[in-house]
Amino acid sequence: MGRHSRKGPEAKGRDAGTAGAERAPGVPQPGTGRRGRDARPAAGDGQGPFRDAPRVRGGHPEQREPGGGWGTGPQPVRDGRQDVSGPAAHEAFRVRQAVARQQAAQRAAGRTQPRRTGDAPLIPGPRQEFLEAFDTTPSRPAPPAPPVAAAGSPADDGGSDGAPGGGSARVKGGKGRAFTGVAAAAVTTVLAVVVAGQVADGPGRGGGTSPSAGVDRQDSEDASRSVDRPTPPAGRPEVKTMSYAARMAMPFPLAPDLKASGKFEAVPGLAKAPGKGHKYRYRIDVEQGLGLDAGLFAEAVQKTLNDDRSWAHGGAMTFERVSSGEPDFVITLASPGTTGVWCEKSGLDTTEDNVSCDSAATDRVMINAYRWAQGASTFGPDKLLPYRQMLINHEVGHRLGHNHVSCRTPGALAPVMQQQTKTLDLDGIKCRPNPWVFPGG
């Protein structure tokens, strides 16, 4: 058998004395088990630990004051209006007084419109239906309230037995809802009056200042919005681009012992041959990492080779730059170190004077980037444009089958196939620098 199903011992002592007592109708008697020890009369018998205390429900006396914790009962009607008391009624009375004082002040000042602060209207006062909720007489008189019964009497049961058909319950429930609505309206009105007063006071009384209260953004002390800020020009200043001749006359920084990546990149695009003679197709490769203008180099090659003073003189030939396919040769702009590597493949040593070459064993015409960037002392720093033209014509001339030629007349223009980078004075004959094959055109 389970623990809770065992029978306890027979009642003894005080429990035995109550075992044979006659049970009062509806009053539970204490048991004889462990749970029945020191049993006290149930709360429903009207007797508590103190036998002289009045009979109560739920362990504490009910509150029957109007507006108490159990709600207000029916209230007497005086002069056709209900006599209301309690916190909600006091709050409603205070609200009515505040509204009356506000309306009297407005009438005395002759103001019929709500005051405005700047461009923002104030919050209006209490709505008319809220005022009518306090001042108007109910549409039908409430039935007279029954006399307040003493505590513990049948009339104080709080149920619907006080009037036939549950009349008291209907009056009680209807008035409770009415008082709840009145309290809500009172709270709303108080909030409206308080907010309206704060708005009417304006920013002059408060510590804060509205950013739109008479502040002109243009007069702000912010430097980024100062009225003294100069007006930007109507259009952007025109950026002047340098001409081809000006760029070709500029030197570029490049070390004489530089050896770059050794990797080449073709200059994209197509420059069609302008002449009608024999067409040579060439590609331009520029070594990566030089930091030179590949576009300027490509433009210089195309213009120089197709000039009438160059190899294209008299329409004998024409040159076309391509970036794909199989060209006749590749004009390559490379660092001094890479130029030496490719020239050595054709048995040429360019490292002694840091010069360029036509690597005949390969398809590359090597242009030493140091010479392209810095020029040569034979031409001087003020003749970079003609030196670069000579450099192109001389190395391509080797690819076309021409060998070196020396100057024979003192003071004359040096032949384009003379090694003008090294010297203009051969065997005591000093000539002048010359970039063209046919300098007279």
Side-chain angles (χ1 to χ4, degrees):
M1 296 176 66
R3 175 181 180 182
H4 296 288
S5 60
R6 290 182 305 188
K7 296 182 180 181
E10 295 182 0
K12 296 179 182 180
R14 183 179 56 185
D15 294 340
T18 58
E22 183 180 357
R23 295 186 179 181
V27 179
Q29 298 298 323
T32 59
R34 181 173 54 186
R35 295 185 180 182
R37 298 173 184 174
D38 299 331
R40 292 176 175 83
D45 61 358
Q47 297 294 332
F50 303 97
R51 298 184 180 275
D52 297 334
R55 180 178 180 179
V56 296
R57 292 187 305 173
H60 56 81
E62 295 184 3
Q63 298 180 3
R64 285 299 181 181
E65 295 82 7
W70 295 94
T72 56
Q75 302 296 324
V77 177
R78 299 177 182 176
D79 299 332
R81 298 185 181 183
Q82 190 171 3
D83 187 10
V84 183
S85 62
H90 288 298
E91 186 65 27
F93 178 75
R94 292 176 55 190
V95 171
R96 288 201 304 272
Q97 284 186 333
V99 172
R101 286 196 298 269
Q102 184 181 16
Q103 292 177 345
Q106 291 180 353
R107 287 194 298 270
R111 294 178 295 180
T112 58
Q113 298 295 332
R115 291 187 296 171
R116 302 172 70 89
T117 300
D119 295 333
L122 299 180
I123 298 177
R127 296 170 58 181
Q128 186 64 25
E129 53 266 28
F130 291 162
L131 299 178
E132 294 175 356
F134 297 106
D135 298 333
T136 55
T137 304
S139 57
R140 60 179 182 179
V148 179
S153 64
D156 193 38
D157 237 356
S160 59
D161 298 336
S168 297
R170 288 195 299 271
V171 173
K172 187 173 182 179
K175 295 306 177 181
R177 288 191 296 270
F179 292 151
T180 303
V182 169
V187 173
T188 303
T189 305
V190 170
L191 291 176
V193 172
V194 172
V195 175
Q198 291 179 351
V199 176
D201 289 342
R205 295 186 182 182
T209 303
S210 174
S212 61
V215 177
D216 191 352
R217 293 175 63 91
Q218 294 183 353
D219 293 338
S220 173
E221 295 180 359
D222 188 359
S224 63
R225 299 184 180 275
S226 173
V227 294
D228 297 332
R229 184 174 58 181
T231 303
R236 293 184 178 179
E238 183 180 355
V239 179
K240 295 182 179 180
T241 56
M242 296 181 63
S243 64
Y244 165 77
R247 288 181 294 160
M248 286 288 286
M250 291 179 57
F252 307 112
L254 197 139
D257 57 348
L258 174 67
K259 185 174 183 180
S261 63
K263 297 179 180 179
F264 303 110
E265 184 176 3
V267 176
L270 171 68
K272 290 188 176 182
K276 297 181 180 180
H278 179 78
K279 182 168 64 176
Y280 288 93
R281 301 172 72 248
Y282 70 95
R283 188 181 78 229
I284 290 183
D285 284 357
V286 177
E287 186 179 9
Q288 297 177 359
L290 291 180
L292 297 177
D293 189 347
L296 176 63
F297 179 72
E299 184 181 3
V301 171
Q302 180 71 1
K303 286 183 176 182
T304 299
L305 293 179
N306 286 290
D307 193 293
D308 190 58
R309 294 169 291 181
S310 183
W311 301 109
H313 176 71
M317 60 188 70
T318 187
F319 299 88
E320 181 174 280
R321 180 174 65 86
V322 297
S323 58
S324 61
E326 292 294 333
D328 296 312
F329 51 89
V330 180
I331 300 177
T332 306
L333 181 65
S335 63
T338 304
T339 299
V341 171
W342 280 87
C343 291
E344 188 179 4
K345 294 180 179 182
S346 299
L348 302 172
D349 183 10
T350 61
T351 60
E352 183 178 353
D353 296 313
N354 222 353
V355 293
S356 305
C357 82
D358 170 39
S359 182
T362 69
D363 60 350
R364 294 189 182 276
V365 176
M366 304 299 299
I367 303 296
N368 193 318
Y370 171 73
R371 292 302 180 183
W372 173 264
Q374 294 292 316
S377 59
T378 52
F379 278 71
D382 58 338
K383 293 183 179 180
L384 270 176
L385 172 60
Y387 174 78
R388 288 166 176 167
Q389 292 169 332
M390 184 276 300
L391 195 59
I392 295 170
N393 280 325
H394 182 91
E395 301 304 335
V396 173
H398 283 305
R399 175 63 57 164
L400 296 175
H402 298 280
N403 294 320
H404 287 147
V405 179
S406 299
C407 179
R408 298 299 181 184
T409 306
L413 293 174
V416 73
M417 295 308 298
Q418 182 174 327
Q419 292 179 304
Q420 298 182 59
T421 298
K422 292 183 177 181
T423 182
L424 290 173
D425 190 352
L426 290 174
D427 300 330
I429 300 174
K430 188 175 182 179
C431 297
R432 293 178 293 148
N434 171 43
W436 301 113
V437 181
F438 302 94

